[in-house]
Amino acid sequence: MSGEEKVVCVTGATGYIASWLVKLLLQRGYTVKATVRDTKDLKKTEHLLALDGAKERLKLFKADLLDEGSFDSAVDGCQVMFNGKTLSPDVVIDETWFSDPISCEKLKLWYMLSKTLAEEAAWKFAEENDIDLVAINPGLVIGPLIQPTLGFSLETFLKLVKGTKVFPDGMCILVDVRDVANAHIQAFEIPAASGRYCIVAKVIHYFEVFKILHGLYPTLNLLEKCEDDKPLLPAYKISQDKAKSLVISFVPLEVSLRDTVESFKDYGFLTI
Ligand SMILES: NC(=O)c1ccc[n+]([C@@H]2O[C@H](COP(=O)([O-])OP(=O)(O)OC[C@H]3O[C@@H](n4cnc5c(N)ncnc54)[C@H](OP(=O)(O)O)[C@@H]3O)[C@@H](O)[C@H]2O)c1
């Protein structure tokens, strides 16, 4: 590809993961056609426009998943489409569901179902249309922010860090946003990449995450107990063998946690 312009598309570019993807793509010399729902909403786009290389190689396109055909001009002429939004439409969430454990459990099941069905549909579509699809499935994504708003995952994580949400007795499946963005690019650049990749740096009990956070930030107002006193769920692991074939070296958990908290502080979401 050297010598010629490398043009790629990133959808849902204002999002947490996709913003990092745009940043790394620009750093690697790509020209990025990025889709956003509202090109005029500077609050959501100005961090993208301020990235190194954006002036020369970033172009924003207006597109909405619910508006058929709206992605056509953004995808036109691109070597690859990175789906920052993935293929699920929005689910309307009522905040009160989170305070009700049964609704919260149901919501988790709906989320998993919607992701599974969306990925199945993507594989079917790719096969029928001879598209070379690679799926990147991350755990809960943490790490520094480059956009000024919090998505669902970081909003939940912020509540845990602030001690305003009880943490569940369960496993936290964590990965740094920089590794997730990098994995997307590696999956495109490495010709042998194919199929599905689970991108997970660490599977760890919530209470152990809180121990690390407490060590890093003793003044954080963390809760000391999870939501029930039952024996802890057994730990499990997620293999990194396939992910490592994308030549990613995972950011250590302590670094991800520290950088997340520092970002919360920098953007004024947390004062300690
Ligand atoms: N973050 C995690 O921990 C995590 C883990 C596993 C999987 N994922 C999945 O990865 C994807 C990205 O996650 P994220 O945390 O980066 O999300 P995010 O920060 O919430 O960003 C979501 C993006 O989707 C866009 N969007 C929403 N509805 C859309 C529509 N109808 N048409 C076009 N764009 C639309 C939003 O655009 P606007 O700016 O216009 O609202 C935003 O750019 C999501 O599908 C998420 O479920 C995330």
Side-chain angles (χ1 to χ4, degrees), residues 50-75:
L51 291 170
D52 283 347
K55 214 166 150 235
E56 303 81 20
R57 287 178 284 109
L58 176 68
K59 186 145 192 257
L60 301 184
F61 290 76
K62 183 178 166 64
D64 192 313
L65 273 180
L66 305 178
D67 183 3
E68 200 172 338
S70 62
F71 289 84
D72 292 356
S73 56
V75 176

Side-chain angles (χ1 to χ4, degrees), residues 12 14-17 37 44 64-65 84-86 111 115 141 153:
T14 58
Y16 175 42
I17 300 170
R37 277 194 286 188
K44 287 195 169 180
D64 192 313
L65 273 180
K85 170 58 192 161
T86 71
Y111 178 80
K115 289 292 176 201
V141 184
S153 63

